[in-house]
Amino acid sequence: GTPTRDDLSSMNPNYLEFKFPLIKSHPWTKVFRSRTSAEATDWIGKLLQYNPKSRPTGLQSCMHPLFDPLREQGATICGSKPLP
């Protein structure tokens, strides 16, 4: 959707007067295919915040439940290659 005035200020305070067209936001579940997991759509939604301070840090992203399978003993890449 259209960024709020606070979002604009957090991204670049020099463009507060820029007028964006009003666009209604769509839920990520409608943007991505139905086979996209709830964890993936949650993680993407957190990453794609207008306000940089609202986005997760790299470490917070690594701790997201989407990546839980990578922390399991014997986890593999593409179903066959072991993790480094």
Side-chain angles (χ1 to χ4, degrees):
T2 303
T4 65
R5 189 168 181 79
D6 288 339
D7 290 333
L8 290 173
S9 176
S10 68
M11 291 185 290
N12 189 339
N14 296 326
Y15 288 97
L16 291 179
E17 299 307 318
F18 189 84
K19 301 293 182 199
F20 286 95
L22 293 177
I23 298 173
K24 182 181 172 186
S25 64
H26 295 283
W28 291 115
T29 53
K30 290 191 176 192
V31 174
F32 294 103
R33 296 178 181 173
S34 60
R35 65 182 184 187
T36 304
S37 71
E39 291 87 3
T41 54
D42 179 64
W43 183 63
I44 292 290
K46 289 178 179 177
L47 285 178
L48 297 179
Q49 295 290 317
Y50 284 119
N51 186 335
K53 292 179 183 175
S54 297
R55 298 176 197 147
T57 64
L59 185 57
Q60 288 169 330
S61 287
C62 289
M63 294 172 21
H64 191 277
L66 175 66
F67 300 106
D68 284 350
L70 296 176
R71 289 184 279 279
E72 295 174 1
Q73 187 70 25
T76 59
I77 300 172
C78 299
S80 62
K81 298 179 183 177
L83 290 172

